[in-house]
Amino acid sequence: MILWILIISTALLFLSFMLMKNSWLRTCLSALFLVMLLGAIALIQTNDAQHFGMKKVTTESTQVIYSASPSPRLKLLLHQDIGTAGKHSVVIYKTSEKGKATHTKADYDIHNKVVSTTDNVAQMKVRRTEWVYKSGFYATLFAHQNNHLLISQTNTFSLPKGWYNLTTKQAKALGKQAKALQHPSAAQKAQMAQAIQAQVAAAMKKDPAMSQADQQALVKQITAKFQQQAIAKLIKQIQAKY
């Protein structure tokens, strides 16, 4: 609407000044159309520079996120720096367990932070502040230009125990070095088997009536624990190196 006011007032000012005879009516109309023209320009500039007719609105939303790793046993949140200063980054994650990985928008007004949580699931909380028109009148007046213009956005990623926050470079290094864990040496196998037998024996000492099925379940549990410990150790080494 403001553009139409600008165009019409310009046209009327030209017509009144050029086509009308010199009289008080011409002077009044020219002055009126000039005021309309300058007013429209002022409103456009004020809306663009100072967000006239708009207000700040903050919204919050929370969603469950899933590991960016293809392995269901490895819970990873990845991030990659933007530029060389390292002050901004995009975070890579999944919105569904079997979906494709996605990432936060690369924008200098968007900030990401990672915190620990005691919850059982990982979550992303989005706090977004933007400019929104105060009413439908202002929205129509300025043709909805700059409506929902981003001021700032903070994405807070809450990670439970067992999750790791790595850079994409660290994740690549982990993928290469983790293959060695899948093919342990004979000495490593023997050492793990000995440790598992010792823990099973200690458990059976406390519960001599433990069934064969319970023993097998315990072996799986202890094996998974050792694997997680090995991965955690490897990740710690990679984080120190890269």
Side-chain angles (χ1 to χ4, degrees):
M1 184 186 294
I2 193 67
L3 291 177
W4 282 110
I5 294 175
L6 180 63
I7 294 170
I8 293 172
S9 60
T10 303
L12 291 176
L13 176 62
F14 175 79
L15 293 174
S16 64
F17 191 79
M18 296 298 294
L19 300 182
M20 294 183 67
K21 294 181 179 181
N22 192 8
S23 64
W24 67 269
L25 180 59
R26 173 190 174 187
T27 303
C28 292
L29 289 176
S30 297
L32 174 62
F33 298 144
L34 180 61
V35 169
M36 289 175 58
L37 173 61
L38 295 178
I41 294 174
L43 285 174
I44 292 173
Q45 291 179 337
T46 307
N47 173 258
D48 186 60
Q50 302 177 18
H51 307 285
F52 173 75
M54 308 181 81
K55 61 181 178 180
K56 291 182 179 180
V57 174
T58 299
T59 57
E60 291 185 354
S61 62
T62 304
Q63 70 175 113
V64 176
I65 61 170
Y66 299 86
S67 171
S69 169
S71 172
R73 294 183 178 180
L74 191 57
K75 306 298 184 182
L76 293 182
L77 183 73
L78 305 179
H79 63 273
Q80 183 172 355
D81 291 339
I82 302 172
T84 57
K87 294 182 179 180
H88 299 273
S89 64
V90 293
V91 178
I92 304 169
Y93 59 97
K94 289 181 181 179
T95 56
S96 63
E97 195 169 4
K98 296 182 179 180
K100 293 183 179 181
T102 185
H103 61 81
T104 56
K105 187 177 179 181
D107 194 311
Y108 286 105
D109 292 321
I110 297 178
H111 306 275
N112 303 299
K113 64 179 183 178
V114 180
V115 298
S116 300
T117 180
T118 55
D119 294 339
N120 295 324
V121 295
Q123 292 183 329
M124 178 179 71
K125 181 178 180 180
V126 179
R127 182 181 175 85
R128 182 181 177 91
T129 302
E130 55 191 12
W131 288 108
V132 177
Y133 282 105
K134 296 179 179 179
S135 66
F137 168 76
Y138 286 113
T140 303
L141 180 64
F142 295 105
H144 296 270
Q145 290 293 318
N146 295 326
N147 199 18
H148 296 285
L149 179 67
L150 176 65
I151 300 173
S152 66
Q153 178 175 318
T154 301
N155 303 319
T156 303
F157 294 87
S158 301
L159 302 184
K161 185 178 180 181
W163 275 69
Y164 301 96
N165 180 26
L166 302 180
T167 66
T168 52
K169 185 177 181 180
Q170 291 171 338
K172 289 179 181 178
L174 176 62
K176 293 179 180 178
Q177 298 185 33
K179 293 180 180 179
L181 297 178
Q182 300 175 359
H183 304 285
S185 63
Q188 289 173 331
K189 289 181 179 179
Q191 184 179 7
M192 182 178 291
Q194 185 177 0
I196 292 173
Q197 288 176 2
Q199 292 195 28
V200 171
M204 291 186 65
K205 188 175 181 180
K206 293 181 180 179
D207 184 12
M210 183 180 294
S211 66
Q212 188 68 26
D214 289 338
Q215 292 180 37
Q216 293 176 352
L218 181 59
V219 169
K220 289 183 179 180
Q221 182 181 351
I222 297 172
T223 302
K225 183 179 179 181
F226 277 127
Q227 291 174 342
Q228 290 295 326
Q229 289 175 345
I231 290 175
K233 183 179 179 180
L234 178 59
I235 290 176
K236 190 174 181 179
Q237 293 173 350
I238 290 173
Q239 287 177 324
K241 185 176 180 181
Y242 297 97

